[in-house]
Coordinates of all heavy atoms in Angstrom, one line a residue:
M1 N -7.0 51.2 23.0 CA -8.3 51.9 22.8 C -8.9 52.1 24.2 O -9.0 51.2 25.0 CB -9.2 51.1 22.0 CG -10.5 51.8 21.6 SD -11.5 50.9 20.5 CE -13.1 51.1 21.2
L2 N -9.3 53.4 24.4 CA -9.9 53.7 25.7 C -11.4 53.6 25.7 O -12.1 54.1 24.7 CB -9.6 55.2 26.1 CG -10.1 55.7 27.4 CD1 -9.5 55.0 28.5 CD2 -9.9 57.2 27.4
V3 N -12.0 52.8 26.5 CA -13.5 52.6 26.6 C -14.0 53.3 27.8 O -13.6 53.0 28.9 CB -13.8 51.1 26.6 CG1 -15.4 51.0 26.7 CG2 -13.3 50.4 25.4
V4 N -14.9 54.3 27.6 CA -15.5 55.0 28.7 C -16.8 54.4 29.1 O -17.7 54.2 28.3 CB -15.7 56.5 28.3 CG1 -16.3 57.3 29.5 CG2 -14.4 57.2 27.8
Y5 N -16.8 53.9 30.3 CA -18.1 53.2 30.8 C -18.2 53.5 32.3 O -17.3 54.0 33.0 CB -18.0 51.7 30.5 CG -17.0 51.0 31.3 CD1 -17.3 50.3 32.5 CD2 -15.6 50.9 30.9 CE1 -16.4 49.7 33.3 CE2 -14.7 50.3 31.7 CZ -15.0 49.7 32.8 OH -14.1 49.0 33.6
G6 N -19.4 53.1 32.8 CA -19.7 53.4 34.2 C -21.2 53.2 34.5 O -21.9 52.7 33.7
V7 N -21.5 53.6 35.7 CA -22.9 53.5 36.2 C -23.4 54.9 36.6 O -22.6 55.6 37.3 CB -23.1 52.5 37.3 CG1 -24.5 52.5 37.9 CG2 -22.7 51.1 36.9
K8 N -24.6 55.4 36.2 CA -25.1 56.6 36.7 C -26.3 56.3 37.5 O -27.1 55.4 37.2 CB -25.6 57.5 35.4 CG -24.5 58.2 34.8 CD -24.2 59.5 35.6 CE -24.2 60.7 34.7 NZ -23.9 61.9 35.4
R9 N -26.6 57.1 38.5 CA -27.7 57.0 39.4 C -28.5 58.3 39.5 O -27.8 59.4 39.6 CB -27.3 56.6 40.8 CG -26.6 55.3 40.8 CD -26.0 55.0 42.2 NE -25.1 53.9 42.2 CZ -25.5 52.6 42.4 NH1 -26.8 52.4 42.6 NH2 -24.6 51.6 42.3
K10 N -29.8 58.2 39.4 CA -30.6 59.4 39.5 C -31.7 59.2 40.6 O -32.2 58.0 40.6 CB -31.3 59.8 38.2 CG -30.4 60.5 37.2 CD -31.2 60.9 36.0 CE -30.4 61.5 34.9 NZ -31.2 61.7 33.7
L11 N -32.1 60.2 41.3 CA -33.1 60.0 42.3 C -34.4 60.6 41.7 O -34.4 61.8 41.2 CB -32.8 60.7 43.6 CG -33.6 60.3 44.8 CD1 -33.3 58.8 45.1 CD2 -33.2 61.2 46.0
K12 N -35.5 59.8 41.6 CA -36.7 60.3 41.0 C -37.8 60.3 42.1 O -38.0 59.3 42.8 CB -37.2 59.3 39.9 CG -38.4 59.8 39.2 CD -38.7 58.9 38.0 CE -39.9 59.4 37.2 NZ -41.1 59.7 37.9
I13 N -38.3 61.5 42.4 CA -39.4 61.7 43.4 C -40.7 61.3 42.7 O -41.0 61.9 41.7 CB -39.4 63.1 43.9 CG1 -38.1 63.6 44.4 CG2 -40.5 63.3 45.0 CD1 -37.6 63.0 45.8
D14 N -41.4 60.3 43.2 CA -42.7 59.9 42.6 C -43.9 60.5 43.2 O -44.9 60.7 42.5 CB -42.8 58.4 42.7 CG -42.0 57.7 41.6 OD1 -41.9 58.2 40.5 OD2 -41.4 56.6 41.9
K15 N -43.9 60.7 44.5 CA -45.1 61.2 45.1 C -44.8 61.8 46.5 O -43.8 61.4 47.1 CB -46.0 59.9 45.4 CG -47.4 60.2 45.9 CD -48.2 59.0 46.1 CE -49.5 59.3 46.7 NZ -50.3 58.0 47.0
S16 N -45.5 62.8 46.8 CA -45.4 63.3 48.2 C -46.4 62.5 49.1 O -47.5 62.3 48.7 CB -45.8 64.8 48.2 OG -45.9 65.3 49.5
L17 N -45.9 62.2 50.3 CA -46.7 61.4 51.2 C -47.4 62.2 52.2 O -48.0 61.7 53.1 CB -45.8 60.4 51.9 CG -45.2 59.3 51.0 CD1 -44.2 58.5 51.9 CD2 -46.2 58.4 50.4
G18 N -47.4 63.6 52.0 CA -48.1 64.4 52.9 C -47.2 64.8 54.1 O -46.1 64.3 54.3
T19 N -47.8 65.6 55.0 CA -47.0 66.0 56.2 C -47.0 65.0 57.2 O -48.1 64.5 57.6 CB -47.7 67.3 56.7 OG1 -47.7 68.3 55.6 CG2 -46.8 67.9 57.8
Q20 N -45.8 64.6 57.6 CA -45.7 63.5 58.7 C -44.5 63.9 59.5 O -43.7 64.8 59.2 CB -45.4 62.2 58.0 CG -46.5 61.6 57.2 CD -46.2 60.3 56.6 OE1 -45.2 59.6 57.0 NE2 -46.9 59.9 55.6
V21 N -44.4 63.3 60.7 CA -43.3 63.5 61.6 C -42.2 62.5 61.2 O -42.4 61.3 61.2 CB -43.7 63.4 63.1 CG1 -42.5 63.5 64.0 CG2 -44.7 64.3 63.4
C22 N -41.0 63.1 60.9 CA -39.8 62.3 60.6 C -39.4 61.5 61.8 O -39.2 62.1 62.9 CB -38.7 63.1 60.1 SG -37.2 62.3 59.8
P23 N -39.2 60.2 61.7 CA -38.7 59.4 62.8 C -37.3 59.7 63.2 O -36.9 59.4 64.4 CB -38.9 57.9 62.4 CG -39.0 58.0 60.9 CD -39.5 59.4 60.5
N24 N -36.5 60.3 62.4 CA -35.1 60.6 62.7 C -34.9 61.9 63.3 O -34.4 62.0 64.4 CB -34.3 60.4 61.4 CG -32.8 60.6 61.7 OD1 -32.3 59.9 62.5 ND2 -32.2 61.5 61.0
C25 N -35.4 63.0 62.7 CA -35.1 64.3 63.2 C -36.2 64.9 64.0 O -36.1 65.8 64.7 CB -34.8 65.3 62.0 SG -36.1 65.5 60.9
G26 N -37.5 64.3 63.9 CA -38.6 64.7 64.7 C -39.3 65.9 64.2 O -40.2 66.4 64.8
H27 N -38.9 66.4 63.1 CA -39.6 67.6 62.5 C -40.8 67.2 61.7 O -40.8 66.0 61.2 CB -38.6 68.4 61.5 CG -37.6 69.2 62.2 ND1 -36.4 68.6 62.6 CD2 -37.6 70.5 62.6 CE1 -35.7 69.6 63.2 NE2 -36.3 70.7 63.2
T28 N -41.8 68.0 61.6 CA -42.9 67.8 60.8 C -42.6 68.2 59.4 O -42.3 69.4 59.1 CB -44.1 68.6 61.3 OG1 -44.3 68.3 62.7 CG2 -45.4 68.3 60.5
V29 N -42.5 67.2 58.5 CA -42.0 67.5 57.1 C -42.9 66.9 56.1 O -43.8 66.0 56.4 CB -40.5 67.0 56.9 CG1 -39.5 67.8 57.7 CG2 -40.4 65.5 57.2
D30 N -42.7 67.2 54.9 CA -43.4 66.6 53.7 C -42.6 65.5 53.2 O -41.7 65.7 52.4 CB -43.6 67.7 52.6 CG -44.7 67.4 51.7 OD1 -45.6 66.6 52.0 OD2 -44.8 68.0 50.6
L31 N -42.8 64.2 53.7 CA -42.1 63.1 53.2 C -42.3 62.7 51.8 O -43.5 62.9 51.3 CB -42.4 61.9 54.1 CG -41.9 61.9 55.5 CD1 -42.3 60.6 56.3 CD2 -40.4 62.0 55.6
S32 N -41.3 62.3 51.1 CA -41.4 62.0 49.7 C -41.2 60.5 49.4 O -40.4 59.9 50.1 CB -40.4 62.8 48.9 OG -40.6 64.1 49.1
L33 N -41.9 60.0 48.4 CA -41.7 58.6 48.0 C -40.8 58.7 46.8 O -41.1 59.4 45.8 CB -43.0 58.0 47.6 CG -43.1 56.5 47.4 CD1 -42.7 55.8 48.7 CD2 -44.5 56.1 47.0
A34 N -39.6 58.0 46.8 CA -38.6 58.2 45.8 C -38.0 56.8 45.4 O -38.1 55.9 46.2 CB -37.5 59.1 46.2
R35 N -37.5 56.8 44.2 CA -36.7 55.6 43.8 C -35.5 56.0 43.0 O -35.4 57.0 42.4 CB -37.6 54.6 43.0 CG -38.1 55.2 41.6 CD -39.2 54.3 41.0 NE -40.0 55.2 40.2 CZ -40.4 54.9 39.0 NH1 -40.0 53.8 38.5 NH2 -41.1 55.8 38.3
E36 N -34.5 55.1 43.1 CA -33.3 55.4 42.5 C -33.3 54.7 41.1 O -33.5 53.5 41.0 CB -32.2 54.7 43.3 CG -30.8 55.1 43.0 CD -29.8 54.4 43.9 OE1 -30.0 53.2 44.2 OE2 -28.9 55.1 44.4
K37 N -33.1 55.5 40.0 CA -33.0 55.0 38.7 C -31.5 54.9 38.3 O -30.8 55.8 38.4 CB -33.7 55.9 37.7 CG -35.2 56.2 38.0 CD -36.0 55.1 37.6 CE -36.2 55.0 36.1 NZ -37.0 53.8 35.7
C38 N -31.1 53.7 37.9 CA -29.7 53.4 37.6 C -29.6 53.0 36.2 O -30.5 52.3 35.7 CB -29.1 52.3 38.5 SG -29.5 52.6 40.3
Y39 N -28.5 53.3 35.6 CA -28.2 52.7 34.3 C -26.7 52.6 34.0 O -25.9 53.4 34.5 CB -28.9 53.5 33.1 CG -28.5 54.9 33.0 CD1 -27.4 55.2 32.2 CD2 -29.2 55.9 33.6 CE1 -27.0 56.5 32.0 CE2 -28.8 57.2 33.4 CZ -27.7 57.5 32.6 OH -27.4 58.9 32.5
A40 N -26.3 51.6 33.3 CA -24.9 51.4 32.9 C -24.8 52.1 31.6 O -25.7 52.2 30.8 CB -24.6 49.9 32.7
H41 N -23.7 52.8 31.4 CA -23.4 53.5 30.2 C -22.1 53.1 29.5 O -21.2 52.8 30.3 CB -23.6 55.0 30.4 CG -22.5 55.6 31.2 ND1 -21.3 55.9 30.7 CD2 -22.4 55.9 32.5 CE1 -20.5 56.4 31.7 NE2 -21.2 56.4 32.8
I42 N -22.0 53.2 28.2 CA -20.8 53.1 27.5 C -20.7 54.3 26.6 O -21.6 54.7 25.9 CB -20.8 51.8 26.6 CG1 -20.9 50.6 27.5 CG2 -19.6 51.7 25.7 CD1 -21.1 49.3 26.7
Y43 N -19.6 55.1 26.8 CA -19.4 56.4 26.1 C -20.6 57.3 26.4 O -21.1 58.0 25.5 CB -19.2 56.3 24.6 CG -17.9 55.5 24.3 CD1 -17.9 54.3 23.8 CD2 -16.7 56.2 24.4 CE1 -16.7 53.6 23.4 CE2 -15.5 55.6 24.1 CZ -15.5 54.3 23.6 OH -14.4 53.7 23.3
Y44 N -21.1 57.3 27.7 CA -22.2 58.1 28.2 C -23.5 57.8 27.5 O -24.5 58.6 27.5 CB -21.8 59.6 28.1 CG -20.6 59.9 28.8 CD1 -19.4 60.1 28.1 CD2 -20.5 59.9 30.2 CE1 -18.2 60.3 28.8 CE2 -19.3 60.1 30.9 CZ -18.2 60.3 30.1 OH -17.0 60.6 30.8
I45 N -23.6 56.7 26.8 CA -24.9 56.3 26.1 C -25.5 55.2 27.0 O -24.9 54.2 27.2 CB -24.7 55.8 24.7 CG1 -24.1 56.9 23.9 CG2 -26.1 55.2 24.1 CD1 -23.6 56.4 22.5
P46 N -26.7 55.4 27.6 CA -27.3 54.4 28.4 C -27.6 53.1 27.7 O -28.2 53.2 26.6 CB -28.6 55.1 28.9 CG -28.6 56.5 28.5 CD -27.5 56.6 27.4
V47 N -27.2 52.0 28.3 CA -27.4 50.7 27.6 C -28.2 49.7 28.5 O -28.8 48.8 27.9 CB -26.1 50.1 27.2 CG1 -25.4 50.8 26.1 CG2 -25.1 49.9 28.4
F48 N -28.2 49.9 29.8 CA -28.8 48.9 30.6 C -29.5 49.6 31.8 O -28.7 49.8 32.8 CB -27.8 47.8 31.0 CG -28.4 46.7 31.8 CD1 -29.3 45.9 31.3 CD2 -28.1 46.6 33.2 CE1 -29.9 44.9 32.1 CE2 -28.6 45.6 34.0 CZ -29.5 44.7 33.5
P49 N -30.8 49.9 31.8 CA -31.4 50.5 33.0 C -31.9 49.5 34.0 O -32.3 48.4 33.6 CB -32.5 51.3 32.3 CG -32.9 50.5 31.1 CD -31.7 49.8 30.7
W50 N -32.0 49.9 35.2 CA -32.7 49.2 36.3 C -33.1 50.0 37.4 O -32.6 51.2 37.5 CB -31.8 48.0 36.7 CG -30.6 48.4 37.6 CD1 -30.6 48.4 38.9 CD2 -29.3 48.7 37.2 NE1 -29.4 48.8 39.4 CE2 -28.6 49.0 38.3 CE3 -28.7 48.8 36.0 CZ2 -27.2 49.4 38.2 CZ3 -27.4 49.2 35.9 CH2 -26.7 49.5 37.0
T51 N -34.0 49.6 38.2 CA -34.5 50.4 39.3 C -33.7 49.9 40.6 O -33.7 48.8 40.9 CB -36.0 50.2 39.5 OG1 -36.7 50.7 38.4 CG2 -36.5 51.1 40.8
G52 N -33.1 50.9 41.2 CA -32.3 50.6 42.4 C -33.3 50.6 43.7 O -34.4 50.1 43.6
M53 N -32.8 51.3 44.7 CA -33.4 51.3 46.0 C -34.7 52.1 45.8 O -34.8 53.1 45.2 CB -32.5 52.0 46.9 CG -32.8 51.8 48.3 SD -31.4 52.3 49.4 CE -31.2 54.0 49.0
R54 N -35.8 51.6 46.5 CA -37.1 52.4 46.7 C -37.1 52.9 48.1 O -36.7 52.1 49.0 CB -38.2 51.5 46.4 CG -38.3 51.0 45.0 CD -39.3 49.8 44.9 NE -39.5 49.5 43.5 CZ -38.7 48.6 42.9 NH1 -37.7 47.9 43.5 NH2 -39.0 48.2 41.6
M55 N -37.5 54.1 48.3 CA -37.3 54.7 49.7 C -38.3 55.8 50.0 O -39.0 56.3 49.1 CB -35.9 55.3 49.8 CG -35.7 56.5 48.9 SD -34.0 56.9 48.6 CE -33.6 56.0 47.2
K56 N -38.4 56.1 51.2 CA -39.2 57.2 51.8 C -38.1 58.2 52.3 O -37.2 57.8 53.0 CB -40.0 56.8 53.0 CG -41.4 57.0 52.9 CD -42.4 56.7 53.9 CE -42.0 56.0 55.2 NZ -43.2 55.7 56.1
A57 N -38.1 59.4 51.8 CA -37.0 60.4 52.1 C -37.5 61.6 52.9 O -38.6 62.1 52.5 CB -36.3 60.8 50.9
C58 N -36.7 62.0 53.8 CA -37.0 63.3 54.6 C -36.2 64.4 54.0 O -35.0 64.3 53.9 CB -36.6 63.1 56.1 SG -36.7 64.6 57.0
P59 N -36.9 65.5 53.5 CA -36.1 66.6 52.9 C -35.3 67.4 53.9 O -34.4 68.2 53.6 CB -37.2 67.5 52.3 CG -38.4 67.1 53.1 CD -38.3 65.7 53.5
N60 N -35.6 67.3 55.2 CA -34.9 68.1 56.3 C -33.6 67.4 56.6 O -32.6 68.1 56.6 CB -35.8 68.2 57.5 CG -35.2 69.1 58.6 OD1 -34.8 70.2 58.2 ND2 -35.2 68.6 59.8
C61 N -33.6 66.2 57.0 CA -32.3 65.6 57.5 C -31.7 64.6 56.5 O -30.6 64.2 56.6 CB -32.6 64.8 58.8 SG -33.7 63.4 58.7
G62 N -32.5 64.3 55.4 CA -31.9 63.5 54.3 C -31.9 62.0 54.6 O -31.5 61.2 53.8
V63 N -32.5 61.6 55.8 CA -32.5 60.2 56.1 C -33.5 59.5 55.1 O -34.5 60.0 54.7 CB -32.9 59.9 57.6 CG1 -34.4 60.1 57.8 CG2 -32.5 58.5 58.0
V64 N -33.2 58.2 54.7 CA -34.1 57.5 53.9 C -34.5 56.2 54.6 O -33.7 55.6 55.3 CB -33.5 57.2 52.5 CG1 -33.3 58.5 51.7 CG2 -32.2 56.4 52.6
E65 N -35.7 55.8 54.4 CA -36.2 54.5 54.8 C -36.3 53.6 53.6 O -37.1 53.9 52.7 CB -37.5 54.6 55.6 CG -38.0 53.3 56.2 CD -39.4 53.5 56.8 OE1 -39.8 54.6 57.1 OE2 -40.1 52.5 56.8
T66 N -35.5 52.5 53.5 CA -35.7 51.6 52.4 C -37.0 50.8 52.4 O -37.4 50.3 53.5 CB -34.5 50.7 52.4 OG1 -33.3 51.4 52.5 CG2 -34.4 49.9 51.1
L67 N -37.6 50.7 51.3 CA -38.9 50.0 51.2 C -38.7 48.8 50.3 O -37.9 48.8 49.3 CB -40.0 51.0 50.6 CG -40.3 52.2 51.4 CD1 -41.2 53.1 50.5 CD2 -40.9 52.0 52.7
T68 N -39.6 47.8 50.5 CA -39.6 46.7 49.6 C -40.5 47.1 48.4 O -41.2 48.1 48.5 CB -40.2 45.5 50.2 OG1 -41.6 45.7 50.6 CG2 -39.4 45.0 51.5
S69 N -40.5 46.3 47.4 CA -41.3 46.6 46.2 C -42.7 46.7 46.5 O -43.5 47.5 46.0 CB -41.0 45.6 45.1 OG -41.7 45.9 44.0
G70 N -43.2 45.8 47.3 CA -44.6 45.7 47.7 C -45.0 46.9 48.5 O -46.1 47.5 48.3
Q71 N -44.2 47.3 49.5 CA -44.5 48.5 50.4 C -44.5 49.7 49.5 O -45.4 50.6 49.6 CB -43.4 48.7 51.4 CG -43.4 47.7 52.5 CD -42.1 47.8 53.4 OE1 -41.0 48.1 52.9 NE2 -42.3 47.7 54.7
Y72 N -43.6 49.8 48.5 CA -43.5 51.0 47.7 C -44.9 51.1 46.8 O -45.4 52.2 46.7 CB -42.3 50.8 46.7 CG -42.1 52.0 45.8 CD1 -41.4 53.1 46.3 CD2 -42.6 52.0 44.5 CE1 -41.2 54.2 45.5 CE2 -42.4 53.1 43.7 CZ -41.6 54.2 44.2 OH -41.4 55.3 43.4
K73 N -45.3 50.0 46.2 CA -46.5 50.0 45.4 C -47.7 50.4 46.2 O -48.6 51.1 45.8 CB -46.7 48.6 44.7 CG -45.8 48.4 43.5 CD -46.1 47.1 42.9 CE -45.1 46.8 41.8 NZ -45.1 45.4 41.4
E74 N -47.8 49.9 47.5 CA -48.9 50.1 48.3 C -49.0 51.6 48.6 O -50.0 52.2 48.6 CB -48.7 49.3 49.6 CG -49.9 49.2 50.5 CD -49.7 48.3 51.7 OE1 -49.5 47.1 51.5 OE2 -49.6 48.9 52.8
L75 N -47.8 52.2 49.0 CA -47.8 53.7 49.3 C -48.1 54.5 48.1 O -48.7 55.5 48.2 CB -46.4 54.1 49.9 CG -46.1 53.7 51.3 CD1 -44.7 53.9 51.7 CD2 -47.0 54.4 52.3
K76 N -47.6 54.1 46.9 CA -47.8 54.8 45.7 C -49.2 54.9 45.2 O -49.7 55.9 44.8 CB -46.9 54.3 44.6 CG -46.8 55.2 43.4 CD -45.8 54.7 42.3 CE -45.8 55.6 41.2 NZ -45.0 55.1 40.0
N77 N -49.9 53.8 45.5 CA -51.3 53.6 45.1 C -52.3 54.1 46.1 O -53.5 54.1 45.9 CB -51.6 52.2 44.6 CG -50.8 51.8 43.4 OD1 -50.5 52.7 42.6 ND2 -50.4 50.5 43.3
S78 N -51.8 54.4 47.3 CA -52.8 54.8 48.4 C -53.1 56.3 48.2 O -52.5 57.1 47.5 CB -52.1 54.6 49.7 OG -51.0 55.4 49.9
Ligands
ZN101 ZN1 -35.8 64.0 59.0

C-alpha cells in the first residue's frame, strides 16, 4: 500500500513594517513581517500544523531576518 505523506510550507505576510532601508541591498523598501506556516499531511489532508520561522523580509532582494517569538510579537503589536 502506498501512503502519500509529507510537509507543506506556506509564507504568510502578517504586517507591513513601513518603508525602511534594507540592511542587505541598501534599497528603501516596504519591509514585511511574515511567518512560515507548516503542516504535515497524509494524502494531502493537513493533520499537524505548526508555526515555523518568524521573519522580517525584504521584497527587493528576498533576504530574511529571523526573529524570536518575542521580537515578532513586539513588532506585530507596535
Ligand atoms: Zn533587500
Side-chain angles (χ1 to χ4, degrees):
M1 186 176 140
L2 179 68
V3 178
V4 180
Y5 67 96
V7 175
K8 277 279 229 186
R9 296 170 192 273
K10 283 185 185 174
L11 198 63
K12 184 174 186 305
I13 307 285
D14 279 325
K15 186 180 176 184
S16 170
L17 294 173
T19 306
Q20 295 179 18
V21 176
C22 172
N24 185 53
C25 64
H27 285 87
T28 305
V29 293
D30 200 18
L31 288 179
S32 302
L33 194 62
R35 65 192 149 128
E36 192 181 42
K37 301 285 284 178
C38 309
Y39 62 88
H41 66 82
I42 298 173
Y43 294 107
Y44 304 106
I45 299 167
V47 288
F48 180 68
W50 72 94
T51 300
M53 200 166 57
R54 293 167 176 86
M55 66 196 94
K56 240 182 357 183
C58 170
N60 185 50
C61 63
V63 76
V64 295
E65 181 187 335
T66 309
L67 304 171
T68 64
S69 184
Q71 289 171 319
Y72 184 85
K73 279 181 189 167
E74 196 177 290
L75 284 170
K76 194 175 178 186
N77 296 328
S78 63

